[in-house]
Amino acid sequence: MTSFAPDSIVLNRKLPLWYQVSQSLRASILGRSPRDPLRLPTEEQLAGHYGVSVLTMRQALKELEDEGLITRHRRRGTFIEPDVRRGAPVRLLGSVDAIVAQQSGMTTELLEHGTAAVPAELAEHFPDLTEVAAYHRLRGDDTTGEPTNHARNYVRPELAAQIDPDDLVRWPMTKVLRDVVGADISRITDTVEARLADPETARLLRVPLLSPILHYTGVTYDTAGRVLDAAVIHYRGDRFSFTVTLDAT
């Protein structure tokens, strides 16, 4: 039987290896094509693929099993759950792959894209620009079709010239910048605050006006400290939670 082929990653030795592997595999699973096989490679094969020990791989698979993304059967192997619900909370420890995983596994509609003036609230991130490329997407649960969040990304024009809009329907912006454009992402800063739904958000997310939402701002930097992308996302407050774990080491 043919096995599902996960993406590869470069591991960051400052973060737990099992965590990075679990989030990379999670993103691969949620972003898979319906035609992809449901059976995963063996623990040994996956460990070799990621360059980690079998014990580390086992811990990563346990994380995905606890989330309900996979099931493990003695002697038969490990299988992706075909009908798993997306949008479960993600434990963010700081890796780019965790961000990709959190953004994956949703249906996405590109509402509009083009050139726009730098929004006033993001001007500090683009001090050398007056205009950026802007993308507006609506994302929803791929099982129920229920809208869960809408995102606006503001990207440097020279990077946007290398982006195929169709890729933003298939993949998160972070993945497109890193894996398609080849941007050298060094860090992403996240800010999450509680707000009330404005008329546009209420309409897009199909919630009552002034319903609680999570207002997320994510700023992506390259190794030179330059901002590549600034994302503003409004999440339905009844569908998302964010948990941040600080590693004391």
Side-chain angles (χ1 to χ4, degrees):
M1 179 184 295
T2 302
S3 296
F4 176 74
D7 294 338
S8 297
I9 60 169
V10 176
L11 295 174
N12 180 345
R13 297 292 165 178
K14 294 182 179 180
L15 294 171
L17 296 180
W18 68 265
Y19 169 77
Q20 296 177 71
V21 169
S22 71
Q23 294 307 302
S24 175
L25 187 51
R26 181 184 193 275
S28 294
I29 289 172
L30 293 181
R32 74 190 188 282
S33 164
R35 299 182 298 276
D36 288 339
L38 293 176
R39 183 178 184 140
L40 289 179
T42 66
E43 287 181 353
E44 292 77 10
Q45 290 170 331
L46 286 170
H49 173 78
Y50 286 111
V52 298
S53 69
V54 172
L55 185 62
T56 296
M57 194 66 239
R58 195 168 294 156
Q59 189 174 5
L61 291 172
K62 178 66 164 54
E63 178 81 359
L64 300 181
E65 185 179 27
D66 289 344
E67 189 179 334
L69 284 175
I70 62 174
T71 55
R72 311 180 74 187
H73 304 276
R74 187 176 179 84
R75 297 191 181 88
R76 288 182 54 213
T78 302
F79 295 84
I80 298 168
E81 280 292 324
D83 300 321
V84 68
R85 284 183 61 83
R86 281 31 171 189
V90 178
R91 290 191 285 169
L92 298 180
L93 298 186
S95 74
V96 172
D97 285 289
I99 300 295
V100 171
Q102 186 270 321
Q103 297 170 349
S104 299
M106 300 178 187
T107 59
T108 302
E109 177 185 359
L110 182 60
L111 299 178
E112 57 183 339
H113 66 93
T115 302
V118 176
E121 66 271 23
L122 300 177
E124 64 179 296
H125 301 303
F126 299 103
D128 57 328
L129 298 175
T130 57
E131 290 188 334
V132 287
Y135 302 87
H136 187 196
R137 290 171 295 161
L138 180 65
R139 298 186 290 211
D141 187 294
D142 66 353
T143 301
T144 66
E146 180 182 50
T148 57
N149 69 87
H150 76 96
R152 294 184 185 274
N153 287 82
Y154 302 93
V155 181
R156 299 190 69 87
E158 65 270 25
L159 299 178
Q162 304 174 60
I163 294 175
D164 183 341
D166 288 342
D167 285 342
L168 293 176
V169 177
R170 302 169 56 200
W171 298 315
M173 177 65 80
T174 305
K175 180 176 177 65
V176 171
L177 287 174
R178 185 187 66 178
D179 298 344
V180 178
V181 176
D184 191 7
I185 297 175
S186 66
R187 62 189 173 96
I188 300 173
T189 62
D190 298 333
T191 303
V192 182
E193 58 184 297
R195 290 196 181 180
L196 300 178
D198 58 31
E200 180 190 39
T201 297
R203 176 180 60 83
L204 289 172
L205 300 186
R206 303 178 197 168
V207 297
L209 185 64
L210 303 182
S211 295
I213 61 168
L214 293 177
H215 178 88
Y216 165 93
T217 303
V219 182
T220 302
Y221 298 82
D222 66 10
T223 52
R226 183 182 64 161
V227 171
L228 307 177
D229 165 54
V232 178
I233 308 176
H234 289 160
Y235 293 92
R236 281 183 54 156
D238 60 344
R239 291 298 308 278
F240 280 88
S241 66
F242 286 81
T243 300
V244 178
T245 301
L246 299 179
D247 186 354
T249 61

